[in-house]
Amino acid sequence: VSARIAGRISKILVKPGEVVARGQLMAMVDSPPVSDMQGELVEAKSKLNIAEAHAERERQIYEEHLERPKGLLDARALMQNTRVQAELAELEYQRQEGLYREKIAATKDYLAAKAALARAKVDYEQARTALAREEQLYKNRALMKRDYQLAMAEVARLKQHLNTIVKRLGFLGADPAMTQEVLRTGNINGLVRIVSPIDGVVGKYDYGVGEIVQPDKSMFVVTDLKTVLVAADLPEIDLRRVKPGNTVK
């Protein structure tokens, strides 16, 4: 049993002669390369969060502008209505102005008509500007869809990158629960789990806590004693008494 990446032993949890089960934790190794990879993981998660927030904004904008035909029709109706109101206000103002010059209409009626005309013109200009904006947005709906699709593609790319780092950490022996904890908290630990690949008995080992291990050096030997091979020597005179299938002690 060896580590898949270089590091310093931080904990040994088994002793020589101890019976272990497949998948049992035997040691923990503190690995700088794993710390670096966990840093990449935290950075990738941060970038994914930003990309998801951007994609959500693009989605809201795009879905809002799917409603633009209704908004466009409403803006056109409002513009037409304000234009009629402005024309009526213009006629009323001209009538009041004529009466005012002939000293027939009161000053307050003339001023009220003038103010009403000014308000009607402002409403008309605002409605016309809103209509122009709606028309421009409606024309750009294909561009908005493309922006939304690009944002979703970026989210998918970053998710794939994140999953690749998680798989690399798992291959190196990083505990999945620890990896998820790094993703949740952003705290980097750099620890790798060394587990037994089989059921068996731990043999003698030469490493201790604090020592450096390399992938090409064995940390532990676990022996499966369910099936064993025994070599024995017999005197030649006894060979004829031994046949395949005999029970021996």
Side-chain angles (χ1 to χ4, degrees):
V1 182
S2 60
R4 292 184 175 179
I5 195 167
R8 186 182 300 275
I9 299 174
S10 61
K11 187 181 297 185
I12 295 179
L13 303 171
V14 294
K15 297 178 180 179
E18 183 176 339
V19 177
V20 294
R22 179 179 180 180
Q24 181 175 333
L25 182 62
M26 302 178 70
M28 299 291 289
V29 174
D30 185 358
S31 173
V34 170
S35 297
D36 294 341
M37 201 173 298
Q38 288 178 342
E40 292 180 24
L41 183 68
V42 173
E43 182 181 1
K45 177 63 174 177
S46 177
K47 289 181 178 179
L48 177 60
N49 290 339
I50 294 173
E52 286 177 337
H54 176 66
E56 177 62 18
R57 287 195 299 271
E58 292 294 338
R59 182 193 65 80
Q60 292 176 356
I61 292 172
Y62 175 63
E63 291 183 354
E64 176 187 350
H65 286 80
L66 289 179
E67 305 291 334
R68 284 300 168 187
K70 178 181 181 300
L72 183 60
L73 293 175
D74 291 344
R76 284 176 178 170
L78 179 61
M79 194 273 291
Q80 292 172 356
N81 182 59
T82 54
R83 181 173 60 188
V84 170
Q85 294 299 323
E87 291 173 352
L88 292 175
E90 177 71 27
L91 293 175
E92 177 62 17
Y93 170 71
Q94 291 176 0
R95 188 179 73 85
Q96 290 292 338
E97 184 181 33
L99 294 175
Y100 178 72
R101 288 179 179 176
E102 295 178 5
K103 308 298 184 182
I104 298 175
T107 301
K108 67 175 183 176
D109 293 335
Y110 166 69
L111 294 177
K114 187 176 182 179
L117 175 60
R119 287 195 301 271
K121 286 183 176 181
V122 170
D123 291 342
Y124 172 65
E125 288 300 324
Q126 289 178 343
R128 190 171 67 170
T129 301
L131 175 60
R133 178 176 176 274
E134 291 293 334
E135 288 176 339
Q136 186 63 32
L137 289 173
Y138 186 70
K139 290 178 182 178
N140 290 339
R141 64 190 185 281
L143 183 61
M144 293 175 184
K145 182 178 181 181
R146 188 197 68 177
D147 291 342
Y148 174 46
Q149 290 173 335
L150 288 175
M152 291 302 296
E154 179 65 8
V155 168
R157 186 187 70 81
L158 290 173
K159 280 185 178 179
Q160 181 61 40
H161 179 57
L162 184 71
N163 291 335
T164 299
I165 297 176
V166 170
K167 289 179 180 178
R168 287 170 60 195
L169 285 168
F171 175 77
L172 294 176
D175 181 31
M178 287 184 179
T179 299
Q180 292 303 316
E181 183 69 12
V182 171
L183 281 172
R184 188 180 66 83
T185 64
N187 295 328
I188 298 170
N189 53 53
L191 294 176
V192 174
R193 291 163 50 93
I194 307 300
V195 300
S196 176
I198 61 171
D199 297 337
V201 177
V202 179
K204 182 176 180 297
Y205 53 82
D206 298 324
Y207 284 102
V209 173
E211 292 190 67
I212 301 295
V213 292
Q214 299 291 339
D216 59 343
K217 299 295 183 180
S218 174
M219 292 179 61
F220 305 100
V221 174
V222 179
T223 306
D224 180 2
L225 297 179
K226 291 178 181 177
T227 302
V228 296
L229 179 66
V230 178
D233 293 326
L234 288 176
E236 186 173 348
I237 193 173
D238 292 330
L239 287 180
R240 68 178 184 272
R241 302 172 57 188
V242 176
K243 295 182 176 62
N246 286 160
T247 299
V248 298
K249 293 183 180 180

